[in-house]
Amino acid sequence: MKQKKSTVLLLTALTLFVSSCAINTVNRKAGILTIQQQGSFLVGGTTISEPGKFDLTNALKPQGQTLHGDHAYVFYQIPPKARNYPLVFLHGAAESKKTWESTPDGREGFQTIFLRRGYGVYLLDQPRRGEAGKSTVATTITPTPDEQFWFTQFRLGNYPDYFAGSQFPRDSASLTQFFRQMTPNTGAFDVSIVSNACSSLFNRIGAGILITHSQGGGAGWFTAIKNDNVKAVIAYEPFSSFVFPTGELPKPIQSTSLFGELKGVEVPVEDFTKLTKIPIILYYGDNIANQPTSVWNKDHWRAGLEMARLWAATINKHGGNAKVVHLPELGIKGNTHFAFSDLNNLEIADLMAKFLRENGLD
């Protein structure tokens, strides 16, 4: 009995030793992560006041009370000797700041990748989403099974099949993590409210780089228009709210998208011109149609990519510096709507770092 117990203890010790070696190997490979400062705060938003006088004996009545809402939540990390410009990350539809954190299969996301590279990072939950869920408008959240739609819309594949060569990890645990990270709106999406909150963040932190994803792209353009502290915009697969100067709005782009035709947004020339003063780059992944098709997800993003190119050409025509990068044209294949968390996200991060370096923003 004693010998059996000794054997168990020895095996346990060996297991712990092997686990420790594995952890140390990972740490040596990634390097120790050093953070000088981190924290969180809320920014932007509005306050609603109910007329009347607050009655302490009837404290559940709204008279004389206030409601703060429609603000953004910000989590930040600053490394020692941080680079000049911090990176501000804004998520897209049905997502939260989790977009930029650990990937569905547990690898480091852009939050940590760029923190390791010396950048301060700020992650936003936009108003009426995630940890900024306190809204000034009512809504109803109805639990609706729709995850297979999102699998298809975000071009992991055409459910249940992944696209050939997809850079999304194909194990069931990663897909479960991906589905779980999706987050409902607690009020209607309002690009003006989101961009106001983002602008308030730049008022607080000063000059920085704005990185957006998908639906966040439109809020990104309006944030850059509102705030000169935005020194560049990096957008991953923006789709809606492309802004054009008065008189230069292109015709809507027709597609078989479940959301119908794609329209641009007209803004005053003086607002549009502000976008010509900063470098802008847009990245799009793989499995986007190059001509109209009945495969609706591929055609949806064909319209988005086509509008992006029209938009960038208009920026450049007015003396700006905008570029659209279609990753397959660089030989980078298989990326989904989430290139920054796909299996090759280090390669995608290198592209972004190159853009920052070439524009003197590193």
Side-chain angles (χ1 to χ4, degrees):
M1 186 71 179
K2 183 183 250 183
Q3 183 176 5
K4 185 176 180 181
K5 184 176 181 181
S6 298
T7 302
V8 170
L9 289 172
L10 178 59
L11 288 172
T12 301
L14 284 171
T15 300
L16 290 172
F17 174 75
V18 171
S19 298
S20 175
C21 289
I23 291 170
N24 286 334
T25 299
V26 171
N27 285 341
R28 284 197 299 271
K29 184 178 179 181
I32 300 299
L33 183 62
T34 305
I35 302 169
Q36 181 171 309
Q37 183 182 3
Q38 73 174 24
S40 63
F41 56 87
L42 300 119
V43 65
T46 58
T47 304
I48 294 175
S49 298
E50 182 73 14
K53 183 178 180 180
F54 175 65
D55 183 355
L56 184 60
T57 61
N58 292 285
L60 293 179
K61 292 185 175 181
Q63 283 74 27
Q65 300 204 53
T66 59
L67 183 151
H68 288 74
D70 294 347
H71 42 255
Y73 172 88
V74 182
F75 176 77
Y76 68 92
Q77 294 176 309
I78 310 296
K81 299 179 181 178
R83 296 175 185 265
N84 289 333
Y85 295 118
L87 307 179
V88 174
F89 292 91
L90 175 62
H91 59 79
E95 294 289 318
S96 69
K97 67 183 184 301
K98 177 68 179 74
T99 288
W100 309 102
E101 298 173 351
S102 300
T103 67
D105 60 336
R107 290 170 294 109
E108 291 184 347
F110 269 27
Q111 172 193 22
T112 307
I113 290 171
F114 281 95
L115 185 64
R116 288 189 184 281
R117 298 186 184 196
Y119 292 92
V121 296
Y122 291 78
L123 308 186
L124 277 81
D125 274 351
Q126 71 181 32
R128 304 175 181 174
R129 191 82 59 82
E131 295 192 65
K134 199 173 181 185
S135 172
T136 63
V137 297
T139 193
T140 299
I141 298 175
T142 304
T144 303
D146 62 357
E147 291 171 349
Q148 285 62 40
F149 156 74
W150 290 112
F151 179 104
T152 308
Q153 169 73 2
F154 290 157
R155 302 194 325 283
L156 279 62
N158 288 325
Y159 192 86
D161 300 318
Y162 289 90
F163 285 130
S166 174
Q167 292 282 0
F168 188 88
R170 300 192 185 196
D171 60 287
S172 61
S174 295
L175 185 58
T176 296
Q177 286 292 312
F178 175 74
F179 285 151
R180 284 175 172 167
Q181 78 181 43
M182 302 189 72
T183 308
N185 288 321
T186 57
F189 173 78
D190 188 317
V191 71
S192 179
I193 288 175
V194 175
S195 58
N196 284 343
C198 289
S199 181
S200 294
L201 171 60
F202 278 95
N203 285 339
R204 176 164 175 163
I205 68 173
I209 314 300
L210 179 58
I211 299 98
T212 68
H213 179 227
S214 195
Q215 188 184 56
W221 319 140
F222 285 107
T223 300
I225 287 171
K226 293 173 180 178
N227 202 308
D228 291 340
N229 281 329
V230 179
K231 298 304 179 185
V233 176
I234 299 167
Y236 288 92
E237 298 212 354
F239 180 80
S240 55
S241 299
F242 282 101
V243 296
F244 292 86
T246 301
E248 298 184 48
L249 193 66
K251 293 180 180 179
I253 298 174
Q254 305 299 317
S255 82
T256 56
S257 166
L258 301 185
F259 300 96
E261 64 184 17
L262 177 57
K263 299 178 180 179
V265 177
E266 201 168 49
V267 297
V269 174
E270 56 270 26
D271 285 347
F272 183 83
T273 301
K274 294 179 181 179
L275 298 175
T276 69
K277 308 301 181 184
I278 59 174
I280 299 173
I281 194 164
L282 294 73
Y283 295 102
Y284 288 85
D286 207 344
N287 297 297
I288 298 174
N290 56 20
Q291 58 185 4
T293 175
S294 61
V295 182
W296 64 263
N297 57 341
K298 290 188 174 185
D299 210 52
H300 173 93
W301 292 105
R302 174 194 61 80
L305 180 55
E306 185 176 328
M307 184 67 81
R309 286 170 168 157
L310 290 172
W311 179 79
T314 306
I315 290 276
N316 295 336
K317 184 180 73 173
H318 285 261
N321 176 16
K323 184 178 182 181
V324 177
V325 176
H326 191 198
L327 296 173
E329 294 176 6
L330 299 181
I332 301 174
K333 304 292 184 66
N335 280 109
T336 71
H337 188 49
F338 294 80
F340 44 80
S341 61
D342 282 337
L343 292 170
N344 62 340
N345 69 338
L346 284 173
E347 184 176 18
I348 304 303
D350 287 342
L351 286 178
M352 183 172 131
K354 179 182 178 184
F355 166 80
L356 294 170
R357 183 172 60 254
E358 290 176 347
N359 287 278
L361 300 170
D362 61 348

